[in-house]
């Protein structure tokens, strides 16, 4: 676990899923920091829509975007959460 004491660094990488929590964090951090957005497309459900939304946010905030799409198949002996964590 990382604990922060004092100010955050000027340059940050922020994981943005496209959900309200990560978008709010992005909005807050972009006010005073140079943010690089990191988005993982888990290739499930509405992943393509989320990826497009995060891409639009990156353009709106003029932030670099690091993007990865999971293309591997989940092994039968692991949970979905474990598989996604290992892919990240």
């Amino acid at each position: 676990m990382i604990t922060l004491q004092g100010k955050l660094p000027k340059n940050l990488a922020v994981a943005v899923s496209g959900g309200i929590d990560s978008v709010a964090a992005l909005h807050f951090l972009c006010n005073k920091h140079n943010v690089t957005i990191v988005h993982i497309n888990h290739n499930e459900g509405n992943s393509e829509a989320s990826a497009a939304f995060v891409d639009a946010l990156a353009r709106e905030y003029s932030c670099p975007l690091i993007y990865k799409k999971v293309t591997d198949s989940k092994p039968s002996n692991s949970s979905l959460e474990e598989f996604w964590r290992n892919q990240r």
Side-chain angles (χ1 to χ4, degrees), residues 22-74:
S22 63
V23 172
L26 173 67
H27 178 75
F28 175 79
L29 292 169
C30 280
N31 287 322
K32 296 195 179 205
H33 300 276
N34 300 320
V35 174
T36 296
I37 296 172
V38 179
H39 180 75
I40 307 296
N41 177 338
H42 291 290
N43 206 18
E44 295 279 333
N46 67 344
S47 293
E48 295 302 321
S50 294
F53 178 66
V54 172
D55 182 63
L57 287 172
R59 284 185 270 113
E60 178 182 339
Y61 286 101
S62 299
C63 294
L65 172 64
I66 297 172
Y67 173 85
K68 178 184 178 186
K69 184 172 186 176
V70 174
T71 57
D72 295 341
S73 298
K74 180 185 86 61

